[in-house]
Amino acid sequence: MNAKLLIVEDQFIEANNLRIILRKAGYVVCTIARSVHEALVIIEKEKPDLVLLDIHLKGPLTGIDLAKMLREKNIAFIYLSANSNKEILDAAKATKPYGFMVKPFREKDVLVMLDVAWYLHRQTQESMIQSKPSGGGLPGDVCKEIVGRGQSMRGVLEHVKIVGASNISVLILGESGTGKELIAQCIHRISPRKSKPFVPVNCAALPANLVESELFGHEKGAFTGAIDKRTGKFEQGNEGTVFLDEIGELPLDSQVKLLRVLQEKEVEPIGGRKKKIDVRVIAATNRILEEEIAMGRFRLDLYYRLNIFPITIPPLRERKEDIPALANHFVNVYAHREDKVITGLADQAVQAMLNYTWPGNIRELENLMARSVLLNNGPIIRSLQLPNQANQPEKAAASPQERIKTITENERDHILSALERCNWKIQGPGGAAALLDLNASTLSSRMKKLGIEKNISPKNDSKD
C-alpha cells in the first residue's frame, strides 16, 4: 500500500506505537509532527494523503485548527482522541473528519477506521466531480415506503445509497417519529446482506436485568428462571443486520458488552461458550449522544465505534414540502383499510398542516390522518383536529442549549467550574473540595457518579 500518512501527536510513545501499526500494514509514514506548525511544514514537504491528528498539541493551535486547514487543502483526516467534552466534540465534528480513533490504539481498530476513511474520502471526491446529484435514486425502488422526495430527504437517501453497499456501522440520528427504522430497513435491503435476517431491537424496551440475555442469549439453567435456551438477537441476525433502536437508552454495563461484540465479532451467551458472529450493526437514537457522553451516560469508545457513518433525518417541520404527499399517502392507506372513498384533502386542511410544527413528526401526522379518515363522511377531508399550538413554534424550535438544565447537570457544571479554577487539585489547601466545602472523599465520589474525569475539561492541558 503506497498511501502516505502523517501522524500529528505530541506524545511520543502513542505516536510511535501508531507508526509501528501503520508501517506493519504497509503504509508510508511521514515524519511525526508535534504541533500544527510542524505539521504544516511536513505537509508542504512530504505531501501526505491522510492525516491522523490529536486534538491537544504543543503550541497555541489545536488539532481542530489544523483540521480546518486540511479541509481547505482537501486532505483527509482522522482525529486521535479520548476527549468526551461536548464542546470539543461539537467543534471537532464541525470540521467533518472521516472518523475518530480512541486511545489506546488497537491494531484492528486502526486499520478498519482507515479503510472507512479511504472509502468516505473516495465517495466525497466522486460526488465533487459529478456535475449533477443522483437525486436519491435507489436500486429497484427499495425505499418506496419512504414518501416524499424534498431536498432534505434526497440528501438522506443519497447517504443511504452510499453506505448501503458497504458493511460499516451506521448511526441514524433524528427525533422520535421521523422514520429511523424505515431508513435502517432501506439500508439493509440494498446491502449484500439483503437476503439475510434484519433483526430490530428496541433498546428502550429491554428490561434492565434481561438486556444481556436478550442481546446475547443464554443457556438452559444459566440462571434462576432460565428454563429454556434463548438465542440472542445478535445470533439471530448472524450474516444479516441488527438494528439497535434507541441505543442511547442502553445501560452502561450493557454498552461495555456491546462494544466487545463490535470489536471481537463474537458473543458469549450467559452460561455458554463464545460464538463468532458476522453482523452489521445499524443504531439509532433521538438523543444527543455528545451530551450523554459529557454526562457520563454513554461510552465515548462505543460512540466512535457506532458513529462511523452518521445519517441525520430531518424533523417534519424542516421538510414541509413533503407534508402534502405524506398526508395523502396516509389518507389512501386508512381509507382503504376503512373501506371508504376519500379522494384527498381540501386546501384549507393542507394549509393548516403546513402551519403546524409537528412535534410528533411523521408518526403524529399518520395518527392524525387515521383519525380524520375515520371521522370524515365525504370524499374530501375539509378540516383537521390539530392540537392547540399557541406556543408550539417556540417549543419546537428550541435548541438543546436553550432548555432548562437538570439539577444533576447543574451540579456537574458547578463541580467542573471549581475543579478548573483549582487546576484540578481536589484535596488540600486551595483544592476544589475546600472551595466547595466538601470532604475530599465526598467530592471524589460525586465526580465518579457524574462521570467527571480530568480529560473532560476543555480548559485542561492534559492529553486526550
Side-chain angles (χ1 to χ4, degrees), residues 381-398:
I381 296 177
R382 300 191 178 280
S383 63
L384 301 171
Q385 296 182 357
L386 286 165
N388 185 342
Q389 56 166 1
N391 299 316
Q392 192 64 42
E394 289 74 20
K395 290 181 180 179

Side-chain angles (χ1 to χ4, degrees), residues 2-52:
N2 296 321
K4 186 181 292 186
L5 307 184
L6 168 63
I7 301 171
V8 186
E9 164 66 73
D10 64 347
Q11 295 293 308
F12 174 77
I13 293 177
E14 291 179 340
N16 192 53
N17 288 340
L18 187 54
R19 176 167 57 183
I20 292 170
I21 292 172
L22 296 174
R23 285 180 172 172
K24 182 180 176 182
Y27 287 101
V28 176
V29 183
C30 300
T31 307
I32 293 174
R34 300 175 62 194
S35 67
V36 172
H37 175 72
E38 289 180 12
L40 291 173
V41 172
I42 295 169
I43 289 169
E44 188 66 28
K45 183 178 179 181
E46 302 187 37
K47 303 290 192 287
D49 300 301
L50 183 144
V51 178
L52 304 170

Side-chain angles (χ1 to χ4, degrees), residues 111-225:
L111 300 182
V112 167
M113 181 57 71
L114 284 171
D115 286 342
V116 171
W118 293 126
Y119 174 82
L120 295 176
H121 188 56
R122 184 170 62 252
Q123 294 292 333
T124 300
Q125 300 309 301
E126 290 176 359
S127 65
M128 290 172 62
I129 293 172
Q130 292 174 350
S131 58
K132 294 182 180 180
S134 64
L138 291 158
D141 197 21
V142 291
C143 288
K144 58 185 178 182
E145 298 93 340
I146 300 174
V147 179
R149 291 295 189 269
Q151 184 176 355
S152 58
M153 281 308 294
R154 286 202 303 269
V156 169
L157 293 176
E158 191 68 27
H159 280 95
V160 167
K161 186 170 66 172
I162 289 171
V163 78
S166 74
N167 279 314
I168 63 175
S169 299
V170 181
L171 180 62
I172 304 175
L173 306 168
E175 297 177 6
S176 293
T178 50
K180 296 186 286 293
E181 184 167 349
L182 282 179
I183 293 295
Q185 291 172 347
C186 186
I187 293 171
H188 173 73
R189 288 200 297 267
I190 63 173
S191 75
R193 299 172 182 265
K194 59 186 176 184
S195 61
K196 301 299 181 179
F198 176 85
V199 181
V201 182
N202 185 348
C203 296
L206 295 176
N209 60 332
L210 294 177
V211 172
E212 187 175 353
S213 173
E214 290 285 336
L215 293 179
F216 314 126
H218 66 248
E219 297 295 327
K220 181 178 179 180
F223 52 85
T224 302

Side-chain angles (χ1 to χ4, degrees), residues 256-312:
V256 176
K257 295 180 175 68
L258 173 59
L259 180 65
R260 180 170 181 81
V261 171
L262 295 175
Q263 290 176 338
E264 306 299 333
K265 301 295 183 183
E266 64 183 21
V267 293
E268 186 174 2
I270 301 173
R273 297 181 178 180
K274 293 179 180 178
K275 302 177 182 180
K276 283 292 181 182
I277 57 165
D278 172 24
V279 297
R280 181 189 198 171
V281 172
I282 301 177
T285 183
N286 60 8
R287 294 194 175 195
I288 301 173
L289 290 184
E290 292 85 352
E291 290 186 357
E292 298 299 304
I293 292 167
M295 291 298 298
R297 293 192 292 254
F298 200 83
R299 290 184 62 90
L300 181 71
D301 44 9
L302 178 58
Y303 169 78
Y304 287 148
R305 172 64 67 175
L306 294 172
N307 195 45
I308 295 174
F309 197 103
I311 296 177
T312 301

